Amino acid sequence: MEGVRVITLDNPPVNALSFEYCAQLLAAIEAAERDPEIEAVVITGANRLFSAGADVNDFQREPPPNPITVRDVIAAIEASNKTYVAAIDGNCLGGALELALACDYRGASARSKLGLPEIKLGLLPGAGGTQRLPRLIGARAALEFMLKGSPVSAQRAVELGILDEITPGDVADDGVRFAKRVAENPTDDAPAKRRVSAREAFIATDVPMQAGPYVVAQAHKMVPPEEKGGLAAHKLIDAVQAAVELPFAFGIAREARLFDELVRSEPSLALRHIFFAERELSKVSPGVTLSLSRGEEVRQAGVVGAGTMGSGIAIAFAQAGIPVVVVDNDDAAVDRARQTVMGMFTYQVQKGRLTQEDAWKRAQSIEFTEDWGRLADADVIVEAVFEDLDVKRDVFRKLDEIAKPGALLATNTSTLDVDKIAEVTKRPERVLGLHFFVPANIMPLLEIVRGRATSEESLATAFRLGKALRKKAVLSGNAFGFIGNRMIFDYLGEAAALAEEGVPAARIDAVMRDFGFPMGPFAMSDLSGLDVGAAIARARGGAGARTGVLEQLVAMGRLGQKTMAGYFKYDKSVGKGREPIPDPQVDAMFADAARQAGIAPRDVSDEEIRERLLNALVDRGTRLLEEGVALRPGDIDIVYVYGYGFPPHRGGPMWYASTRAARSAGAPGSPAAVLAHA
Ligand code: 3H9
C-alpha cells in the first residue's frame, strides 16, 4: 500500500536478530526513513514466527568490530517520526518483543506467543524491555512477566496491555491498513506516534508510586539468592527499579550495563550451554540431524500396566492430546489408576490450568480395559509392568501378536536389557526403551534407549513422540541403568562411602542442597524407595560394604518415605511427612559397617564432600561417553538437570567439570560477547 513500507524479518529458521541480520534490518529502516513517500513502517515476520529474539550464538563469540545489535535497530525506530507497527504472527520472544515494544502499535494473530525469556538464559531483557514494560503495564506486572520468563498467549498479552489488539485477518495486511489510517488520520486516541519511552513508569494502576521501594524489596525476597541461581533475577529487579526511579535514557544505560555483566556471568554461560545442549538432542550422531519428519506421528497410544508409572504415562499422553488405551488385568490397580487420573485432572481444574470441559475430554481419552485386543490400533505401546525380565518378555510376545505392523513397542524398564526384550519379537527394529521418570506426567526427562536392532525410523518416531509429550528426549545406549541411573548408582555409592568415613548423612545431604540440588543423596534414596535401590544394587551384582547399610535398613522394613523411615525418619507433623529428620541410629549403622570394613573415621571438609560426589557423576559420565552409551557431554547434562535436580545454573555435571579448571584459576568460562554500547 502506498506510503507504508513492510519490513519482514526473514532469517531462517527463527528470524534470530544476529549482528549480521540487525545490520540488514537497520539498513532497511534507514532506507524507509530516507524515503519521503513513506509515512509508516510495518514490521512482521516470515517462517511462521515474528522472531526468537537476539541470536544467542552471538553471546558465545567475540563480537565483530562495531557490531550492529537489536539495540541499534530500536534506537533508529525510537528516533523516527514515522509510525511503526509491529504485526506479529507466531513466536515473538526476547529482543524481538523489545523491538515490538519500541513500535507505536502492536497487533498479533490469536496463535501468537509473546515473552521475554531471557531469565531462562541467566540474562535480563537487554534491549529496553526492562525500561519500556514498566512504562506500559506497570512495574509489578512487568516484574512478574519477566521473572517468570514464560511466553503468554496473545489473548493474555492483550489483557496485560502488552498488545493493542488481536488481528483477525492476515496480520501484515491488517497492520498496513491500520498504519496507513493512523499515519494519515491521527486522532487523540490513535496518534501517529506513541512512544512507550515517553510515558511515566508506574507500579500498578491501583498502587501509588511511593510503594515502589516496597515492591522492589518484596521482589528481591521472592527470588533465590544470587549464588543459588538468582543472579539474573536480582539484576533484573535492579533494572526495573531504575525504570521506576530514573529518566528513560539513564534507565536504558543501566539495563545495558547489567545485561553485559550477566552475559559474562557463570550462571548464564551454564544456562546457555543447557539451551544449546537441548537443541542438539535430536541429532543422533553429532553433525547428523535425524529428520524428525521421518518419524511417524503417534495418533493412538497404548500402555500395559496401570501402576504408578503406567498411569503417569497415560496422563502424559492424554495431556498431549493423544488418546491412550491402558491394559491391566488387576481390577484394584485399574481402580487406583482411575482415581489417580481423575484426581490429577480435578487438581488442574482447581488450579485454573484446565477448563472443566478440557479436563473431562482428557480424562475421557484414557481408556482402561482388560482387553489386550484394544491395543491393535496403537501406533506406540509402552510396557510399564513389574521390573522382571521374564514378565516383560511375556508381555512383548503378546504385544508382537496384537500390535499392528509398524507399531513401536517400547519398554519402560529402568535397568533391564532392551535387546533381551526385543529378541522375543519378530520386529526387534521396532523395539526400544522409553524410560520415563516418576511422576511421568510431570518429569520433563525421557531417555530413549536404542537397542542393537532399533531402526532409525523407530528412533525418529520416538523423538517425534518425545516432542509431542513436551519431554527432553535424550538418546541412550542399551547399558545397565542407561545414563541417569547408571551415574546415580556411583553417586549414591560415594555418599555411602562418605557416611562410612564418619560424615553424618544429614551433613552430606546439606552440602549437596547448598550446592543447589533440591535434596541430598540420602533423601533422594528415601524418596525413590530403599527396596527399589537395594533390588537394583542386587541386579547389578554390587552387594558389598557400600550397600550393607542399605540392605540392613530394608531388612528392618525402613523402605524410605513410604514407610516413614529410611536413611532418615519422617513424621506426619513435620513438613507433611516429607521432611527428613536425622537419625543417629543410621549414622551408628554406618560406623559399624566402617569398623567391620576397617575404615577409620576422618575429618572431611564440605568441599571434599561436594567434589567427591560430583566427581562420582563426572567419572561415570566420562566412561559412558567413552563407551558410546551417551553421545555428548551436553546430553548427560540435560539428563541431570531435567531428571535429577542438578542446579541448571551450574550447567550439569559435565559442564561443571569442564569449567572447573577455569573457575579455580579465576578466569572466565568462555569468550562472551560484550555488546557494543552500554
Ligand atoms: C535476547 O533476545 C536478548 C535481548 O534481550 C537483548 C539483546 C541485546 N538464537 O528450539 P528449536 C535455533 S536473548 C539463536 O529447535 P522450536 C535453535 O538453536 C534470546 N538460535 O525450534 C535451533 O537451531 P538448530 C531470547 C536460536 O520450533 C533452531 O533455532 N530468546 C534461537 O521447537 C530451531 O529451534 C529466546 O530465548 C535464538 N534466540 O522452538 C528464545 N532460538 O536447528 C529461544 C532458536 O541449528 N528459542 N534458535 O538446532 C526458543 O524458545 C525456541 O527456539 C522457539 C522455536 C520457541 C523460538
Side-chain angles (χ1 to χ4, degrees), residues 288-457:
V288 181
T289 305
L290 177 80
S291 168
L292 295 182
S293 59
R294 273 176 66 201
E296 290 122 50
E297 188 188 346
V298 169
R299 295 208 178 85
Q300 167 74 50
V303 171
V304 182
T308 310
M309 197 44 125
S311 36
I313 297 171
I315 296 172
F317 278 118
Q319 278 173 344
I322 302 170
V324 55
V325 172
V326 183
V327 175
D328 201 309
N329 297 345
D330 176 351
D331 287 347
V334 168
D335 276 350
R336 271 196 308 274
R338 273 207 178 95
Q339 275 169 26
T340 309
V341 167
M342 286 319 288
M344 173 71 209
F345 287 122
T346 310
Y347 175 76
Q348 294 202 356
V349 173
Q350 279 163 1
K351 286 265 156 191
R353 293 189 198 133
L354 271 186
T355 63
Q356 189 84 40
E357 194 189 339
D358 284 343
W360 179 248
K361 269 195 215 143
R362 286 187 187 181
Q364 289 302 305
S365 70
I366 304 178
E367 177 191 329
F368 291 97
T369 176
E370 292 188 358
D371 177 7
W372 287 64
R374 298 281 299 117
L375 295 171
D377 292 332
D379 302 307
V380 61
I381 305 173
V382 185
E383 160 280 306
V385 301
F386 187 63
E387 188 79 349
D388 177 284
L389 186 61
D390 292 334
V391 176
K392 288 192 190 274
R393 279 160 66 106
D394 278 348
V395 168
F396 272 75
R397 278 191 199 96
K398 223 162 160 177
L399 291 179
D400 200 23
E401 298 295 316
I402 295 163
K404 68 181 182 187
L408 204 62
L409 305 184
T411 169
N412 180 53
T413 180
S414 43
T415 50
L416 298 173
D417 184 340
V418 173
D419 291 333
K420 290 217 169 94
I421 296 173
E423 73 189 17
V424 302
T425 72
K426 290 189 262 331
R427 50 175 118 183
E429 74 288 352
R430 298 302 282 167
V431 178
L432 45 69
L434 286 181
H435 183 215
F436 289 84
F437 290 72
V438 182
N441 51 313
I442 291 171
M443 289 294 283
L445 182 65
L446 176 67
E447 285 179 322
I448 296 180
V449 186
R450 179 184 208 162
R452 200 184 313 121
T454 311
S455 67
E456 282 240 345
E457 287 73 14

Side-chain angles (χ1 to χ4, degrees), residues 557-580:
R558 294 180 63 142
L559 307 183
Q561 255 192 49
K562 59 188 167 190
T563 57
M564 303 301 278
Y567 285 113
F568 296 110
K569 286 193 289 197
Y570 298 86
D571 187 322
K572 282 219 157 50
S573 62
V574 185
K576 293 187 186 151
R578 282 192 283 256
E579 173 99 20

Side-chain angles (χ1 to χ4, degrees), residues 341 611 664:
V341 167
E611 293 302 307
S664 53

Side-chain angles (χ1 to χ4, degrees), residues 192-330:
K193 275 316 290 171
R194 218 180 47 151
R195 288 187 184 88
V196 175
S197 60
R199 301 186 188 191
E200 291 292 328
F202 62 104
I203 307 299
T205 42
D206 54 348
V207 179
M209 277 308 272
Q210 294 90 301
Y214 174 76
V215 170
V216 165
Q218 282 301 105
H220 278 297
K221 271 195 207 144
M222 278 169 61
V223 300
E226 286 196 357
E227 66 287 1
K228 290 215 166 168
L231 183 67
H234 288 286
K235 302 266 181 221
L236 197 159
I237 299 165
D238 289 347
V240 170
Q241 183 179 4
V244 174
E245 293 175 358
L246 302 177
F248 184 77
F250 288 94
I252 283 282
R254 179 132 175 76
E255 175 199 81
R257 260 198 316 278
L258 292 167
F259 179 89
D260 294 349
E261 261 176 54
L262 287 176
V263 167
R264 296 189 214 97
S265 69
E266 263 180 41
S268 179
L269 285 163
L271 288 163
R272 273 143 47 201
H273 158 68
I274 292 295
F275 173 85
F276 286 113
E278 245 180 87
R279 279 152 184 86
E280 288 287 297
L281 290 177
S282 62
K283 295 174 186 163
V284 163
S285 58
V288 181
T289 305
L290 177 80
S291 168
L292 295 182
S293 59
R294 273 176 66 201
E296 290 122 50
E297 188 188 346
V298 169
R299 295 208 178 85
Q300 167 74 50
V303 171
V304 182
T308 310
M309 197 44 125
S311 36
I313 297 171
I315 296 172
F317 278 118
Q319 278 173 344
I322 302 170
V324 55
V325 172
V326 183
V327 175
D328 201 309
N329 297 345
D330 176 351

Side-chain angles (χ1 to χ4, degrees), residues 61-104:
R61 59 182 173 116
E62 287 304 328
N66 306 318
I68 304 295
T69 76
V70 63
R71 290 179 190 159
D72 300 282
V73 176
I74 288 174
I77 296 175
E78 186 75 18
S80 168
N81 283 323
K82 303 188 188 216
T83 302
Y84 275 76
V85 174
I88 300 162
D89 180 33
N91 279 305
C92 173
L93 304 173
L97 179 54
E98 297 177 284
L99 177 70
L101 290 174
C103 291
D104 300 292

Side-chain angles (χ1 to χ4, degrees), residues 13-14 52 54-56 91 95 98 117-118 125-126 275 279 283 467 675:
V14 292
D55 189 330
V56 183
N91 279 305
E98 297 177 284
E118 285 86 344
F275 173 85
R279 279 152 184 86
K283 295 174 186 163
K467 195 158 183 158
L675 285 176

Side-chain angles (χ1 to χ4, degrees), residues 472-502:
K472 315 291 172 195
V474 178
L475 190 71
S476 170
N478 177 28
F480 189 83
F482 313 129
I483 298 173
N485 281 343
R486 185 66 191 87
M487 287 167 64
I488 212 73
F489 301 147
D490 292 9
Y491 175 78
L492 298 177
E494 195 61 30
L498 281 160
E500 286 177 359
E501 286 167 40

